[in-house]
Amino acid sequence: MERALVDRDLLTEIEQFLYREALALDERRFQDWLAFFTDDVVYEVPVRVTREGNAEWELSPTSRIFDDTKETLTVRIQRLDTDFAWSEQPPSRTRHYVTNVLVDSTDVDNEYLVRSNCFIYRSRGDEPNPSMYSLARRDTLRRTGSGLQICRRWGAFDQAMINAHNLSIFI
Amino acid sequence: MGTWARDKSLAEALPEIRRGIGEGVFPARVFNDQEVFDLEQERLFSRAWCFLAHESEIPSNGDYVTRYIGNNNIIVVRDENGEIHANLNMCRHRGNLMCKSEMGNASHFRCSYHGWTYKNSGELIGVPYMKEGYNGALTRKDWRLVEVRVDTYAGLIFGCLSPDTEPLDQYLGEFKFYLDFYLKQGDSGSEVHGPPDHWIAETDWKICTENFTGDGYHTPVAHQWGFALGYFPSSGSTHSQGWAVSIPGKGHGIGLGHSPDFPAFGGFPDELVKQMRETFSPEQVSVFEKVRTGVGTVFPNLSFLMQPFSLVPGGPGVRFTTMRLYHPVAPGRMEMYSWCLVPKDASPEYKDLAYKAYTLAFGQAGTFEQDDFENWIKVTKSAKSTAVKDVDFPYIMGMESEFDPDFQGPGHAVVPYVNDTNFRNLWTRWGDYLGGDA
């Protein structure tokens, strides 16, 4: 059985970090949100495919829904700051629920592998039915001069056919 | 009053709707209606050549994907001899779904209900209790999986449920000239970068089809953020330049956007341009080298888009190609499949950059795709509202557009790019099918 190799203070620090990151998204403070990521961040969401249980992979090694860097995440945020990002005008109301946080040390000093579940509730306009997405996340967090930052965000949707006309939100 | 009066059934209104298309009107209601959906299933998707898969999705013997034509689930497979087959994904014994995965590799398919087993090509080879139960009354060769007509063009695998429909080659007709630009990039052609993005949207498939038959008109507004951040090599003022090309009588159409001073084959790597200049016909080179944006549809529901795009505004554009399939599941509701195509011969670096450009712009989280779908779900919702029942939309743009005599490609080519000519041709063909004349 795997056992967390980190102490309670670190676990609390990382949980609080993830909650604050989620809060920045849910309060649409996107510039603040960008600051949670290192400049060399890799932000990836693979495409899931329904396959037999014994298949080599279910998450495509080549297809991605998000395939982003800090540079392209910044473009996405700049886009939202124009008056013409119709998909978020009026904006989605999101709530990110982050649970099942597991922290493990890695081979790199000051980097931690952080696994979590993320449930996203998304409401738009006067549409009574919200969209809901469930994801597994695997982040790598790095301790830098300015505290913790995410240097890798990886999230996989549990749906192979995602029930959303678009994904103009972040995971 | 519109061409589809509110008290008329589709059958009653269809002659008037078809007449209206030629005159430049088309009813809003068509974009979200149960009668339309039902008749499309019966007369359009049961008769047209419908896209199933790209050959590079099933490169090895035994590879399969499951896809749809209309509401029919189909196994598309490469058999043990390398031949491609399409069979209904349904056991002939009691109708159970044979294959429950979207993709995989199998030499045989075995039904999970009573155990009938088929070769991947579809022949029935195993029946439990053959002797004890059937005692010689059942002949295996009479009960193979229901076969679907299948044919290919330049890597595209199409299926057709009707034995009477013209051969694929004729069905695509002169549109093959334009398809080559997407499918024959370099000596070895194009391949999929990976499995498609796949999502469901409250959008009618016809809205997507129309947009991708060359709606250059929406770009400066629907994607205005891109112009605002300085993304495009065209500006709003020159955006109308280019051609709209339709294939009369077929429904296919393509918009070819051009910008002043656009470099020939801009956004492709040099090596690839060299290959394309050699493999394409002189007429194809003459047309393709000027194209910034190529956005076209194979009737009824397969589309392509190609254009240079940079990861950051103002950067050197890299050419990406997307292929998309709109699978109707209900009136105003569809499943979207979106692939990125890359030239097989290109360097891994180029393929990676092209793929990154694709995901930033298209696919479910793509910054262009996001805004398109936001608009399209609203159109779909409007089309269902009662007051809109007998409202027509105008399709008169470019009624007087003139044929461009210098244009060297086949079909009916008009300027400018911003034009409804392709859509009138598209809906005319749709009317042929729904009216039982195709």
Side-chain angles (χ1 to χ4, degrees), chain B residues 6 51 81 153 185 195 211-212 216 226 240 262-263 308 313 324 337 354 370 377:
Chain B
R6 65 170 51 230
F51 179 70
N81 302 315
Y153 179 74
Q185 294 175 2
N211 182 279
F212 273 78
S240 64
F262 185 70
R324 43 254 335 275
Y337 293 81
Q370 288 174 23
I377 61 170

Side-chain angles (χ1 to χ4, degrees), chain A residues 101-148:
Chain A
V101 178
L102 284 172
V103 179
D104 286 295
S105 56
T106 68
D107 294 341
V108 183
D109 278 350
N110 295 328
E111 285 193 4
Y112 309 101
L113 171 67
V114 180
R115 285 172 287 183
S116 62
N117 293 348
C118 182
F119 188 80
I120 306 173
Y121 171 100
R122 178 190 186 193
S123 168
R124 285 193 56 67
D126 57 0
E127 171 59 51
N129 301 313
S131 302
M132 286 178 277
Y133 320 109
S134 166
L135 297 100
R137 291 201 311 201
R138 284 173 78 97
D139 299 333
T140 305
L141 268 55
R142 185 186 297 158
R143 190 175 296 285
T144 66
S146 48
L148 289 171

Side-chain angles (χ1 to χ4, degrees), chain A:
Chain A
M1 201 164 89
E2 285 182 78
R3 298 195 47 193
L5 299 171
V6 296
D7 66 27
R8 190 175 300 182
D9 287 348
L10 179 64
L11 178 62
T12 304
E13 184 187 5
I14 287 176
E15 282 177 344
Q16 292 289 307
F17 173 85
L18 291 179
Y19 299 159
R20 286 182 195 284
E21 186 240 336
L23 188 65
L25 277 181
D26 293 342
E27 292 183 347
R28 302 200 292 269
R29 290 182 284 106
F30 295 116
Q31 292 295 344
D32 291 353
W33 180 69
L34 274 178
F36 282 83
F37 297 94
T38 61
D39 286 343
D40 62 349
V41 68
V42 174
Y43 184 98
E44 277 185 334
V45 177
V47 167
R48 185 184 288 279
V49 181
T50 302
R51 304 196 62 183
E52 298 294 312
N54 60 1
E56 214 178 306
W57 52 262
E58 284 176 48
L59 295 166
S60 168
T62 51
S63 289
R64 289 174 285 277
I65 298 170
F66 284 91
D67 188 9
D68 281 71
T69 60
K70 186 75 170 266
E71 204 173 41
T72 56
L73 285 176
T74 304
V75 167
R76 289 179 187 272
I77 302 304
Q78 285 172 345
R79 167 186 132 74
L80 292 175
D81 286 341
T82 70
D83 291 334
F84 316 113
W86 312 120
S87 62
E88 284 299 313
Q89 207 52 267
S92 299
R93 295 168 295 261
T94 65
R95 199 66 56 199
H96 289 68
Y97 297 86
V98 180
T99 70
N100 301 53
V101 178
L102 284 172
V103 179
D104 286 295
S105 56
T106 68
D107 294 341
V108 183
D109 278 350
N110 295 328
E111 285 193 4
Y112 309 101
L113 171 67
V114 180
R115 285 172 287 183
S116 62
N117 293 348
C118 182
F119 188 80
I120 306 173
Y121 171 100
R122 178 190 186 193
S123 168
R124 285 193 56 67
D126 57 0
E127 171 59 51
N129 301 313
S131 302
M132 286 178 277
Y133 320 109
S134 166
L135 297 100
R137 291 201 311 201
R138 284 173 78 97
D139 299 333
T140 305
L141 268 55
R142 185 186 297 158
R143 190 175 296 285
T144 66
S146 48
L148 289 171
Q149 279 187 306
I150 301 165
C151 59
R152 179 163 191 254
R153 156 118 332 145
W154 181 97
F157 282 83
D158 289 317
Q159 286 179 321
M161 180 167 63
I162 299 173
N163 188 18
H165 67 288
N166 65 18
L167 287 171
S168 49
I169 60 166
F170 297 97
I171 62 126

Side-chain angles (χ1 to χ4, degrees), chain B residues 11-308:
Chain B
E12 289 167 340
L14 201 52
E16 182 66 8
I17 293 170
R18 293 175 68 185
R19 193 189 54 74
I21 296 163
E23 293 173 7
V25 285
F26 197 49
R29 187 169 155 193
V30 159
F31 293 100
N32 193 347
D33 181 86
Q34 187 70 51
E35 277 189 286
V36 169
F37 177 83
D38 293 342
L39 203 61
E40 285 172 352
Q41 292 292 315
E42 193 186 315
R43 293 191 177 168
L44 171 57
F45 291 103
S46 298
R47 298 189 57 81
W49 280 99
C50 296
F51 179 70
L52 288 169
H54 192 277
E55 283 190 54
S56 61
E57 293 185 275
I58 48 170
S60 306
N61 293 354
D63 284 350
Y64 69 86
V65 292
T66 53
R67 296 275 153 75
Y68 286 89
I69 294 179
N71 52 15
N72 304 283
N73 195 221
I74 288 164
I75 307 174
V76 188
V77 65
R78 194 180 287 275
D79 73 12
E80 299 308 302
N81 302 315
E83 250 176 76
I84 294 169
H85 299 263
N87 293 300
L88 286 192
N89 190 4
M90 179 195 82
C91 182
R92 283 304 297 280
H93 176 235
R94 287 295 182 271
N96 191 23
L97 192 72
M98 294 297 304
C99 181
K100 293 147 190 166
S101 299
E102 290 177 87
M103 64 180 288
N105 184 285
S107 56
H108 298 80
F109 297 110
R110 180 169 176 268
C111 179
S112 60
Y113 195 5
H114 301 89
W116 282 28
T117 303
Y118 304 83
K119 276 192 195 176
N120 56 15
S121 51
E123 291 110 63
L124 177 65
I125 52 163
V127 176
Y129 302 107
M130 183 70 171
K131 192 159 178 293
E132 300 87 332
Y134 288 104
N135 193 26
L138 185 115
T139 309
R140 287 191 191 91
K141 69 174 173 44
D142 293 342
W143 300 98
R144 56 159 296 130
L145 293 180
V146 176
E147 211 167 5
V148 174
R149 257 178 102 185
V150 68
D151 202 353
T152 64
Y153 179 74
L156 304 181
I157 306 167
F158 290 86
C160 181
L161 299 177
S162 161
D164 313 323
T165 304
E166 63 189 336
L168 178 67
D169 195 62
Q170 273 169 256
Y171 180 90
L172 296 174
E174 291 176 314
F175 202 63
K176 286 178 291 181
F177 177 100
Y178 302 100
L179 279 178
D180 289 353
F181 199 16
Y182 303 111
L183 303 172
K184 297 182 177 172
Q185 294 175 2
D187 293 342
S188 308
S190 309
E191 63 183 3
V192 298
H193 187 271
D197 292 83
H198 188 193
W199 71 94
I200 191 150
E202 303 296 324
T203 302
D204 198 86
W205 70 276
K206 292 186 291 302
I207 300 168
C208 307
T209 278
E210 178 184 289
N211 182 279
F212 273 78
T213 307
D215 189 332
Y217 191 44
H218 83 299
T219 315
V221 175
H223 307 302
Q224 191 168 352
W225 74 271
F227 290 83
L229 291 190
Y231 254 116
F232 290 102
S234 69
S235 74
S237 63
T238 59
H239 182 78
S240 64
Q241 293 189 16
W243 300 264
V245 188
S246 50
I247 310 299
K250 300 285 186 189
H252 319 310
I254 188 168
L256 303 168
H258 173 70
S259 305
D261 305 322
F262 185 70
F265 288 110
F268 282 117
D270 294 344
E271 190 51 40
L272 212 65
V273 174
K274 220 198 249 165
Q275 289 181 16
M276 290 191 292
R277 284 193 181 281
E278 280 163 22
T279 49
F280 287 142
S281 70
E283 293 77 16
Q284 285 178 313
V285 169
S286 148
V287 171
F288 299 164
E289 67 178 358
K290 302 184 192 75
V291 173
R292 178 200 69 242
T293 307
V295 53
T297 292
V298 176
F299 183 85
N301 61 340
L302 172 72
S303 298
F304 297 85
L305 178 138
M306 171 173 56
Q307 73 164 57

